[in-house]
Amino acid sequence: MSFLSYLQDKRYFLLMYAVTMMFVSLIMLVSMKGHGALNNLAYMNGGCFLFAAGYLVWGYFYRKSFYQELQAFLQPKSEGDPVRGKTPWVNPYQDWAIEALPAPQNAEQELYLELLRQLAIEQTKEKQLLHADLKNHQDFILSWIHDVKLPIAASQLIMQNRAGKTAEYLVDKLEDELSKIDSYVEQALYYSRIDAFSRDYFITEVPLLAIVKETVKKSAKVFIAKRIRPDMEGLTHSVNSDSKWLGYIVNQIVANALTYTENGGSITFRSEDTATEKRLIIADTGIGIVAGDLPRVFDKGFTGVNGRTNNRSTGMGLYLAKQLAIKLGHDLSITSTEGEGTAVTVHFMKVRHYNDFR
């Protein structure tokens, strides 16, 4: 900072000084007469000017070291950008940049430096979250590409070995693989839209029976192939929700139940109405979940013991279902006994208890 810049910052002090001196001089001229009055006036103005100038010069040099260190810290440290013709600002101190700032000389500077420290801490946290989200996104994309290639490769094998097969057999097998591809694409679509959820939902009264019937219809082929019986007699309630997003949540739960239920098993759908909430309970007679995996089944990418023995498990279905349920103001919980089955409950909080739930 130059001395002229420093004086510009002190312009209000200089203005106040000038007004004060004019007022005092006027009072002296009115109250005193003769040649001595002019001398006193000149001595008073000269002395005050020297004191004020001394104060300004002393203040400038006192703070000059701080301003010089701060200016040096903010100077660009890289070579020029040959493309843009500008010198980009590169912080040479990396994460400990704030610690390298000069020590404050007064309370005002201390406040500004504390503000910079807080901003740096918040920026570091946001950067870490962004890096974690980016890594999770990259991991999901890599996993998704690997998964979606499997049904594509299977379809190619079916076509290459079509000799001797009937058209009905080939169509049936290709439909199965297309269904898997469709499921993976739908999962990627919902995953990509989860952050923009607030712009795409419409809450209405939704009959749970209609949602479940649509899901069972969508997976009818698997129900029939595995001879799994859907029991929907206990579905009697309606809930306030978005039918599209709720349908996807139920689809993911049912897909998991179908994957881990042996042939000839059953999946039961029932609803309950309590004082605080309505519930949709989806219970299967599958292989169940080991107790150690149960607390983590809603974590992103977690496949657990069952997932490692099933090549189709991506660990994303229940994660997406849980995240969407929370965004809708619902919740998911799960109970399971290894070897006996699993029950997933969708909780629909009633309006008067919604704030307690949140």
Short mmCIF file of all heavy atoms in Angstrom, two decimals, residues 225-268:
data_model
loop_
_atom_site.label_atom_id
_atom_site.label_comp_id
_atom_site.label_asym_id
_atom_site.label_seq_id
_atom_site.Cartn_x
_atom_site.Cartn_y
_atom_site.Cartn_z
N ALA A 225 -41.45 -67.27 -12.84
CA ALA A 225 -40.32 -68.17 -13.06
C ALA A 225 -39.85 -68.81 -11.76
O ALA A 225 -39.45 -69.98 -11.74
CB ALA A 225 -39.18 -67.39 -13.71
N LYS A 226 -39.88 -68.04 -10.66
CA LYS A 226 -39.40 -68.58 -9.39
C LYS A 226 -40.54 -69.14 -8.53
O LYS A 226 -40.31 -69.57 -7.40
CB LYS A 226 -38.66 -67.50 -8.61
CG LYS A 226 -37.42 -66.96 -9.34
CD LYS A 226 -36.62 -65.99 -8.50
CE LYS A 226 -35.83 -66.72 -7.41
NZ LYS A 226 -34.87 -65.83 -6.75
N ARG A 227 -41.75 -69.11 -9.08
CA ARG A 227 -42.94 -69.63 -8.38
C ARG A 227 -43.07 -68.98 -6.99
O ARG A 227 -43.35 -69.64 -6.00
CB ARG A 227 -42.86 -71.15 -8.27
CG ARG A 227 -42.98 -71.85 -9.63
CD ARG A 227 -42.89 -73.36 -9.50
NE ARG A 227 -41.50 -73.79 -9.29
CZ ARG A 227 -40.99 -74.23 -8.16
NH1 ARG A 227 -41.75 -74.32 -7.09
NH2 ARG A 227 -39.74 -74.58 -8.07
N ILE A 228 -42.85 -67.69 -6.95
CA ILE A 228 -42.99 -66.93 -5.70
C ILE A 228 -44.37 -66.30 -5.65
O ILE A 228 -44.81 -65.66 -6.60
CB ILE A 228 -41.90 -65.84 -5.60
CG1 ILE A 228 -40.53 -66.48 -5.48
CG2 ILE A 228 -42.16 -64.91 -4.41
CD1 ILE A 228 -39.38 -65.50 -5.51
N ARG A 229 -45.04 -66.50 -4.55
CA ARG A 229 -46.43 -66.06 -4.43
C ARG A 229 -46.49 -64.68 -3.75
O ARG A 229 -46.06 -64.53 -2.60
CB ARG A 229 -47.21 -67.07 -3.60
CG ARG A 229 -48.69 -66.72 -3.38
CD ARG A 229 -49.39 -67.87 -2.70
NE ARG A 229 -48.72 -68.27 -1.47
CZ ARG A 229 -48.90 -67.69 -0.29
NH1 ARG A 229 -49.75 -66.68 -0.18
NH2 ARG A 229 -48.26 -68.11 0.79
N PRO A 230 -47.05 -63.67 -4.44
CA PRO A 230 -47.24 -62.36 -3.78
C PRO A 230 -48.56 -62.33 -3.01
O PRO A 230 -49.62 -62.66 -3.56
CB PRO A 230 -47.26 -61.38 -4.95
CG PRO A 230 -47.79 -62.17 -6.10
CD PRO A 230 -47.39 -63.61 -5.88
N ASP A 231 -48.52 -61.96 -1.76
CA ASP A 231 -49.71 -61.87 -0.93
C ASP A 231 -49.99 -60.40 -0.63
O ASP A 231 -49.24 -59.75 0.09
CB ASP A 231 -49.49 -62.64 0.38
CG ASP A 231 -50.72 -62.60 1.27
OD1 ASP A 231 -51.74 -61.97 0.87
OD2 ASP A 231 -50.68 -63.19 2.37
N MET A 232 -51.10 -59.86 -1.20
CA MET A 232 -51.41 -58.43 -1.05
C MET A 232 -52.71 -58.18 -0.30
O MET A 232 -53.27 -57.10 -0.36
CB MET A 232 -51.50 -57.78 -2.45
CG MET A 232 -50.19 -57.78 -3.21
SD MET A 232 -50.32 -57.05 -4.84
CE MET A 232 -50.96 -58.44 -5.76
N GLU A 233 -53.19 -59.19 0.39
CA GLU A 233 -54.49 -59.06 1.07
C GLU A 233 -54.46 -58.05 2.20
O GLU A 233 -55.49 -57.50 2.56
CB GLU A 233 -54.92 -60.43 1.59
CG GLU A 233 -55.23 -61.44 0.48
CD GLU A 233 -55.73 -62.76 1.04
OE1 GLU A 233 -55.80 -62.86 2.28
OE2 GLU A 233 -56.01 -63.67 0.24
N GLY A 234 -53.28 -57.80 2.76
CA GLY A 234 -53.21 -56.88 3.90
C GLY A 234 -53.00 -55.43 3.52
O GLY A 234 -52.70 -54.61 4.39
N LEU A 235 -53.16 -55.12 2.23
CA LEU A 235 -52.95 -53.73 1.79
C LEU A 235 -54.28 -52.98 1.73
O LEU A 235 -55.06 -53.17 0.81
CB LEU A 235 -52.29 -53.71 0.41
CG LEU A 235 -50.79 -53.98 0.37
CD1 LEU A 235 -50.31 -54.05 -1.06
CD2 LEU A 235 -50.04 -52.90 1.13
N THR A 236 -54.54 -52.14 2.71
CA THR A 236 -55.84 -51.47 2.78
C THR A 236 -55.74 -49.95 2.93
O THR A 236 -56.77 -49.28 2.98
CB THR A 236 -56.66 -52.02 3.96
OG1 THR A 236 -55.89 -51.84 5.15
CG2 THR A 236 -56.98 -53.50 3.77
N HIS A 237 -54.53 -49.41 2.99
CA HIS A 237 -54.38 -47.98 3.30
C HIS A 237 -53.85 -47.20 2.10
O HIS A 237 -53.22 -47.75 1.20
CB HIS A 237 -53.44 -47.79 4.49
CG HIS A 237 -53.94 -48.42 5.75
ND1 HIS A 237 -53.51 -49.66 6.18
CD2 HIS A 237 -54.84 -47.99 6.66
CE1 HIS A 237 -54.12 -49.97 7.31
NE2 HIS A 237 -54.94 -48.96 7.63
N SER A 238 -54.11 -45.91 2.15
CA SER A 238 -53.53 -44.95 1.20
C SER A 238 -52.59 -44.03 1.96
O SER A 238 -52.77 -43.79 3.16
CB SER A 238 -54.62 -44.13 0.51
OG SER A 238 -55.47 -44.97 -0.25
N VAL A 239 -51.59 -43.49 1.26
CA VAL A 239 -50.61 -42.60 1.92
C VAL A 239 -50.42 -41.36 1.06
O VAL A 239 -50.75 -41.34 -0.13
CB VAL A 239 -49.26 -43.32 2.10
CG1 VAL A 239 -49.40 -44.51 3.02
CG2 VAL A 239 -48.67 -43.73 0.76
N ASN A 240 -49.90 -40.30 1.67
CA ASN A 240 -49.56 -39.08 0.94
C ASN A 240 -48.11 -39.18 0.46
O ASN A 240 -47.17 -39.17 1.27
CB ASN A 240 -49.73 -37.86 1.84
CG ASN A 240 -51.18 -37.60 2.18
OD1 ASN A 240 -52.06 -37.76 1.34
ND2 ASN A 240 -51.43 -37.24 3.42
N SER A 241 -47.95 -39.27 -0.86
CA SER A 241 -46.61 -39.44 -1.41
C SER A 241 -46.63 -39.13 -2.91
O SER A 241 -47.67 -38.82 -3.48
CB SER A 241 -46.12 -40.87 -1.15
OG SER A 241 -44.79 -41.02 -1.58
N ASP A 242 -45.45 -39.21 -3.53
CA ASP A 242 -45.34 -39.08 -4.98
C ASP A 242 -45.36 -40.49 -5.57
O ASP A 242 -44.50 -41.31 -5.24
CB ASP A 242 -44.04 -38.36 -5.34
CG ASP A 242 -43.87 -38.21 -6.84
OD1 ASP A 242 -43.40 -39.16 -7.48
OD2 ASP A 242 -44.23 -37.14 -7.36
N SER A 243 -46.31 -40.76 -6.43
CA SER A 243 -46.51 -42.14 -6.90
C SER A 243 -45.31 -42.65 -7.70
O SER A 243 -44.94 -43.82 -7.58
CB SER A 243 -47.79 -42.21 -7.76
OG SER A 243 -47.70 -41.32 -8.85
N LYS A 244 -44.68 -41.78 -8.49
CA LYS A 244 -43.54 -42.25 -9.31
C LYS A 244 -42.35 -42.63 -8.45
O LYS A 244 -41.78 -43.71 -8.60
CB LYS A 244 -43.14 -41.14 -10.29
CG LYS A 244 -42.00 -41.56 -11.22
CD LYS A 244 -41.61 -40.44 -12.16
CE LYS A 244 -40.92 -39.33 -11.41
NZ LYS A 244 -40.40 -38.28 -12.31
N TRP A 245 -41.97 -41.72 -7.53
CA TRP A 245 -40.80 -42.00 -6.70
C TRP A 245 -41.09 -43.13 -5.71
O TRP A 245 -40.22 -43.97 -5.45
CB TRP A 245 -40.38 -40.74 -5.94
CG TRP A 245 -39.90 -39.64 -6.82
CD1 TRP A 245 -40.65 -38.62 -7.34
CD2 TRP A 245 -38.58 -39.45 -7.34
NE1 TRP A 245 -39.86 -37.81 -8.13
CE2 TRP A 245 -38.60 -38.29 -8.15
CE3 TRP A 245 -37.38 -40.15 -7.19
CZ2 TRP A 245 -37.46 -37.82 -8.80
CZ3 TRP A 245 -36.26 -39.67 -7.84
CH2 TRP A 245 -36.30 -38.53 -8.62
N LEU A 246 -42.32 -43.16 -5.16
CA LEU A 246 -42.67 -44.25 -4.25
C LEU A 246 -42.66 -45.58 -4.99
O LEU A 246 -42.23 -46.61 -4.46
CB LEU A 246 -44.05 -43.99 -3.62
CG LEU A 246 -44.54 -45.07 -2.66
CD1 LEU A 246 -43.57 -45.25 -1.49
CD2 LEU A 246 -45.94 -44.73 -2.13
N GLY A 247 -43.14 -45.56 -6.25
CA GLY A 247 -43.11 -46.79 -7.05
C GLY A 247 -41.70 -47.30 -7.24
O GLY A 247 -41.44 -48.52 -7.20
N TYR A 248 -40.75 -46.38 -7.46
CA TYR A 248 -39.36 -46.81 -7.63
C TYR A 248 -38.82 -47.41 -6.33
O TYR A 248 -38.10 -48.42 -6.35
CB TYR A 248 -38.50 -45.62 -8.05
CG TYR A 248 -37.06 -46.01 -8.25
CD1 TYR A 248 -36.65 -46.67 -9.40
CD2 TYR A 248 -36.10 -45.75 -7.27
CE1 TYR A 248 -35.32 -47.05 -9.58
CE2 TYR A 248 -34.78 -46.13 -7.44
CZ TYR A 248 -34.40 -46.77 -8.60
OH TYR A 248 -33.10 -47.16 -8.77
N ILE A 249 -39.17 -46.79 -5.19
CA ILE A 249 -38.71 -47.32 -3.90
C ILE A 249 -39.22 -48.75 -3.70
O ILE A 249 -38.46 -49.66 -3.35
CB ILE A 249 -39.20 -46.41 -2.75
CG1 ILE A 249 -38.53 -45.05 -2.82
CG2 ILE A 249 -38.95 -47.06 -1.40
CD1 ILE A 249 -39.12 -44.01 -1.89
N VAL A 250 -40.51 -48.96 -3.96
CA VAL A 250 -41.10 -50.30 -3.79
C VAL A 250 -40.47 -51.27 -4.79
O VAL A 250 -40.19 -52.44 -4.46
CB VAL A 250 -42.63 -50.23 -3.96
CG1 VAL A 250 -43.24 -51.63 -3.92
CG2 VAL A 250 -43.24 -49.35 -2.87
N ASN A 251 -40.21 -50.80 -6.01
CA ASN A 251 -39.56 -51.66 -7.01
C ASN A 251 -38.22 -52.18 -6.52
O ASN A 251 -37.89 -53.35 -6.69
CB ASN A 251 -39.34 -50.87 -8.31
CG ASN A 251 -40.56 -50.90 -9.20
OD1 ASN A 251 -41.40 -51.78 -9.07
ND2 ASN A 251 -40.68 -49.93 -10.08
N GLN A 252 -37.43 -51.29 -5.93
CA GLN A 252 -36.10 -51.70 -5.46
C GLN A 252 -36.21 -52.71 -4.32
O GLN A 252 -35.44 -53.68 -4.26
CB GLN A 252 -35.32 -50.46 -4.97
CG GLN A 252 -34.98 -49.49 -6.07
CD GLN A 252 -34.16 -50.13 -7.18
OE1 GLN A 252 -33.12 -50.74 -6.94
NE2 GLN A 252 -34.64 -50.04 -8.40
N ILE A 253 -37.16 -52.50 -3.43
CA ILE A 253 -37.33 -53.44 -2.31
C ILE A 253 -37.78 -54.81 -2.82
O ILE A 253 -37.26 -55.86 -2.41
CB ILE A 253 -38.34 -52.88 -1.28
CG1 ILE A 253 -37.81 -51.57 -0.70
CG2 ILE A 253 -38.59 -53.89 -0.18
CD1 ILE A 253 -38.83 -50.82 0.14
N VAL A 254 -38.74 -54.79 -3.75
CA VAL A 254 -39.24 -56.07 -4.30
C VAL A 254 -38.16 -56.77 -5.12
O VAL A 254 -38.03 -57.99 -5.07
CB VAL A 254 -40.50 -55.79 -5.16
CG1 VAL A 254 -40.93 -57.05 -5.91
CG2 VAL A 254 -41.64 -55.30 -4.27
N ALA A 255 -37.37 -56.00 -5.87
CA ALA A 255 -36.29 -56.60 -6.66
C ALA A 255 -35.31 -57.33 -5.75
O ALA A 255 -34.84 -58.44 -6.05
CB ALA A 255 -35.58 -55.53 -7.48
N ASN A 256 -34.99 -56.69 -4.61
CA ASN A 256 -34.10 -57.34 -3.64
C ASN A 256 -34.73 -58.61 -3.08
O ASN A 256 -34.08 -59.65 -2.93
CB ASN A 256 -33.79 -56.38 -2.49
CG ASN A 256 -32.41 -55.79 -2.62
OD1 ASN A 256 -31.94 -55.58 -3.74
ND2 ASN A 256 -31.75 -55.52 -1.51
N ALA A 257 -36.03 -58.52 -2.75
CA ALA A 257 -36.72 -59.68 -2.18
C ALA A 257 -36.74 -60.83 -3.18
O ALA A 257 -36.53 -62.00 -2.81
CB ALA A 257 -38.15 -59.28 -1.79
N LEU A 258 -36.99 -60.52 -4.46
CA LEU A 258 -37.02 -61.57 -5.48
C LEU A 258 -35.64 -62.21 -5.67
O LEU A 258 -35.52 -63.42 -5.89
CB LEU A 258 -37.50 -60.99 -6.81
CG LEU A 258 -38.99 -60.65 -6.89
CD1 LEU A 258 -39.29 -59.87 -8.17
CD2 LEU A 258 -39.84 -61.93 -6.83
N THR A 259 -34.61 -61.38 -5.57
CA THR A 259 -33.24 -61.89 -5.77
C THR A 259 -32.87 -62.90 -4.70
O THR A 259 -32.25 -63.93 -4.99
CB THR A 259 -32.24 -60.72 -5.77
OG1 THR A 259 -32.59 -59.81 -6.81
CG2 THR A 259 -30.82 -61.22 -5.98
N TYR A 260 -33.26 -62.62 -3.46
CA TYR A 260 -32.78 -63.45 -2.35
C TYR A 260 -33.84 -64.40 -1.80
O TYR A 260 -33.68 -64.93 -0.70
CB TYR A 260 -32.25 -62.54 -1.24
CG TYR A 260 -31.06 -61.73 -1.70
CD1 TYR A 260 -31.16 -60.34 -1.84
CD2 TYR A 260 -29.86 -62.33 -2.03
CE1 TYR A 260 -30.08 -59.59 -2.28
CE2 TYR A 260 -28.77 -61.59 -2.47
CZ TYR A 260 -28.89 -60.22 -2.60
OH TYR A 260 -27.82 -59.49 -3.04
N THR A 261 -34.95 -64.59 -2.52
CA THR A 261 -35.97 -65.56 -2.11
C THR A 261 -35.88 -66.78 -3.03
O THR A 261 -35.86 -66.65 -4.25
CB THR A 261 -37.38 -64.95 -2.19
OG1 THR A 261 -37.44 -63.81 -1.33
CG2 THR A 261 -38.44 -65.96 -1.77
N GLU A 262 -35.79 -67.95 -2.42
CA GLU A 262 -35.67 -69.17 -3.19
C GLU A 262 -36.97 -69.49 -3.93
O GLU A 262 -38.04 -68.96 -3.61
CB GLU A 262 -35.32 -70.34 -2.25
CG GLU A 262 -34.04 -70.15 -1.45
CD GLU A 262 -32.81 -70.18 -2.34
OE1 GLU A 262 -32.92 -70.64 -3.50
OE2 GLU A 262 -31.73 -69.72 -1.90
N ASN A 263 -36.87 -70.36 -4.93
CA ASN A 263 -38.06 -70.79 -5.69
C ASN A 263 -39.11 -71.38 -4.75
O ASN A 263 -38.79 -72.12 -3.81
CB ASN A 263 -37.66 -71.85 -6.72
CG ASN A 263 -36.77 -71.27 -7.79
OD1 ASN A 263 -36.57 -70.06 -7.86
ND2 ASN A 263 -36.22 -72.13 -8.65
N GLY A 264 -40.36 -70.99 -5.01
CA GLY A 264 -41.45 -71.52 -4.19
C GLY A 264 -41.72 -70.71 -2.92
O GLY A 264 -42.61 -71.07 -2.14
N GLY A 265 -40.95 -69.62 -2.70
CA GLY A 265 -41.15 -68.81 -1.50
C GLY A 265 -42.34 -67.87 -1.64
O GLY A 265 -43.17 -68.01 -2.54
N SER A 266 -42.39 -66.89 -0.77
CA SER A 266 -43.51 -65.92 -0.84
C SER A 266 -43.04 -64.54 -0.41
O SER A 266 -42.06 -64.40 0.33
CB SER A 266 -44.67 -66.39 0.06
OG SER A 266 -44.28 -66.31 1.42
N ILE A 267 -43.73 -63.55 -0.93
CA ILE A 267 -43.49 -62.15 -0.52
C ILE A 267 -44.83 -61.57 -0.07
O ILE A 267 -45.80 -61.58 -0.85
CB ILE A 267 -42.89 -61.31 -1.67
CG1 ILE A 267 -41.53 -61.89 -2.09
CG2 ILE A 267 -42.74 -59.86 -1.26
CD1 ILE A 267 -40.91 -61.16 -3.26
N THR A 268 -44.87 -61.09 1.14
CA THR A 268 -46.12 -60.59 1.72
C THR A 268 -46.08 -59.06 1.80
O THR A 268 -45.10 -58.48 2.27
CB THR A 268 -46.34 -61.17 3.13
OG1 THR A 268 -46.33 -62.59 3.04
CG2 THR A 268 -47.65 -60.70 3.72
#
